[in-house]
Amino acid sequence: MPRIPDIPGRLIPPRSDQESWLRRFAAGLCQLDNERFPGSQPVSFGARDLEKLESQDYWVTEKSDGVRVLLFVHTSLQTKDQAVYLIDRHNSYREVQGLYFPHHENPMMPLRSSIVDGELVMDTDPRTKEETMRFLAFDCLVVDDQNVMGRPLDKRYGRLQEWFFKPYQKMLRDHPHMAQTQPFEVKVKGVKFSYHAEEVFEKDIPALQHGNDGLIYTCVQTSYVAGTDPNILKWKPPSENSIDFKLILRFPPSRESPRDPDYFAKPVFELHVWCGGRNYEPYDVMQVTDDEWESIKASGEQLDDRIVEVHWDAAVHAWRMMRFRDDKPNGNHKSVAEAIIKSIAEGVEKDALLARSNAIRSAWKTRQTRLGAQPPPPPPLFNAGAPDAKARFGPLARSPWSKVSGPPEVFGMKR
């Protein structure tokens, strides 16, 4: 599996005055009444969404397998000093050195405060095996002190290109030595009309130097939404749809001392679903083979109380582990988990998706003819069965022994 990069930069101390100030400032730029992570989140693609692609204009791009971050440029209007931060999904801030973004009108002046949405990936050159970290921008919330969240996607994308990326790109062409101090490269992801999904599969994805996690469809006409956005659709083959749970291990009692857990025995791998706040409840279990358990023990890696990404394996009729997601503060919310399970049951295979391309194209052209306009061209590119996963336990009680609450022993299985 391709390597997921660690987020670079100096972590702003949690709960510090500086972090609080940055969160307030970012919320003010985004015109939000809360200081939570302001990024949007997609919903899983289901059969019903094929109708959306026909009834509305969507752009499509490959979904990179990396770390989702917001690039936050803070520029002081008084001193003209510019600082750059990365905001992760934990809503933590990291200050990165070596980046500078010039103003689109006067390159001698700094770009004013901006928030750009993107993915941090680790590209690996297939020939030399050299790794290069890149930030792939795909949307923006604020550019040059102007909030653009209320504008449609094509306008935001144009602002991202013209005001944010092109001046930066020209600066590097004119002063190539500046690239040597950068912690990562900055690129803008290319997009295509939704009826060109086959080109994404046949050309874009094979050319990637990092992992791919499906497709992303984004509605062209809608505004940017902080939080879950039903107009951003994440497509994966149904067999590859995954859910993030919190993993909790339950060990059997020791033979020598029945009141104590046997930490050498193979435990039950419980999957707990997030219910909001600090609340989790048991949802299902994950299958781990005996050989896999022995390998895990030998690694010495902590498993308990971590977010784990799992997929439904129809062949064994069980959840199977993909990887840990330490970059996420919580698992998927229970409502999201149930929606993903529904998308597995009602999922759309690749062939069925591509079979609708002509109908999607015809519907798009009909809308454009009716409006008497041509569609705005996207900017150019820069280089199984449904799981039976009903909750098997009731809500957990409060407990001082576990971060996710719950009794220390359930049916003789100890935590």
Side-chain angles (χ1 to χ4, degrees), residues 46 317 335:
H317 208 66
S335 60

Side-chain angles (χ1 to χ4, degrees), residues 63-97:
K63 184 183 185 302
S64 297
D65 192 9
V67 179
R68 169 77 178 285
V69 292
L70 300 178
L71 190 148
F72 172 29
V73 180
H74 172 256
T75 302
S76 169
L77 297 179
Q78 289 74 35
T79 66
K80 308 303 180 185
D81 291 336
Q82 190 180 85
V84 180
Y85 302 87
L86 294 178
I87 311 173
D88 65 18
R89 279 184 287 202
H90 296 258
N91 208 22
S92 298
Y93 287 66
R94 288 174 174 80
E95 184 176 10
V96 290
Q97 302 290 334

Side-chain angles (χ1 to χ4, degrees), residues 160-381:
L160 174 68
Q161 290 272 15
E162 298 298 326
W163 286 24
F164 174 78
F165 183 67
K166 286 186 178 180
Y168 163 81
Q169 188 181 42
K170 184 178 184 302
M171 177 191 72
L172 293 185
R173 285 199 305 267
D174 295 343
H175 308 281
H177 65 279
M178 296 185 70
Q180 300 174 5
T181 65
Q182 295 186 136
F184 47 80
E185 294 183 7
V186 178
K187 301 288 185 182
V188 173
K189 293 193 71 171
V191 293
K192 288 181 167 66
F193 297 136
S194 56
Y195 49 81
H196 287 312
E198 187 169 8
E199 288 187 22
V200 181
F201 282 117
E202 300 300 325
K203 296 180 180 180
D204 298 347
I205 293 178
L208 294 177
Q209 295 184 0
H210 55 265
N212 170 258
D213 199 29
L215 304 180
I216 287 287
Y217 289 90
T218 308
C219 186
V220 178
Q221 295 99 342
T222 55
S223 60
Y224 190 99
V225 174
T228 302
D229 185 351
N231 294 304
I232 303 178
L233 310 173
K234 178 177 67 174
W235 177 88
K236 282 185 179 182
S239 60
E240 295 180 14
N241 263 311
S242 61
I243 303 179
D244 300 325
F245 291 104
K246 185 180 283 287
L247 181 62
I248 302 296
L249 306 188
R250 296 287 186 180
F251 290 88
S254 170
R255 293 181 180 179
E256 292 75 16
S257 179
R259 293 191 177 188
D260 299 322
D262 183 355
Y263 291 114
F264 293 96
K266 182 180 174 181
V268 174
F269 297 83
E270 292 186 357
L271 299 174
H272 289 218
V273 67
W274 183 47
C275 299
R278 297 183 178 180
N279 301 315
Y280 281 80
E281 63 182 41
Y283 200 79
D284 211 326
V285 296
M286 180 178 75
Q287 184 183 90
V288 175
T289 66
D290 291 344
D291 289 343
E292 289 169 341
W293 169 238
E294 292 302 321
S295 176
I296 290 170
K297 283 196 300 183
S299 72
E301 185 176 12
Q302 177 188 339
L303 306 184
D304 196 35
D305 220 27
R306 290 174 71 182
I307 303 300
V308 63
E309 182 179 358
V310 300
H311 72 98
W312 181 256
D313 188 337
V316 296
H317 208 66
W319 295 107
R320 297 282 288 156
M321 178 177 170
M322 297 175 66
R323 57 182 171 177
F324 287 111
R325 295 306 303 261
D326 296 328
D327 60 309
K328 294 189 174 183
N330 290 295
N332 291 127
H333 190 272
K334 185 175 181 179
S335 60
V336 175
E338 291 173 348
I340 295 173
I341 288 172
K342 186 177 180 181
S343 74
I344 297 174
E346 302 175 357
V348 178
E349 296 290 351
K350 176 182 175 181
D351 291 344
L353 182 68
L354 297 181
R356 294 291 282 266
S357 293
N358 287 336
I360 294 169
R361 179 187 179 92
S362 297
W364 189 315
K365 297 298 183 182
T366 299
R367 284 191 299 275
Q368 295 301 323
T369 301
R370 189 165 57 245
L371 294 173
Q374 293 297 316
L381 283 170

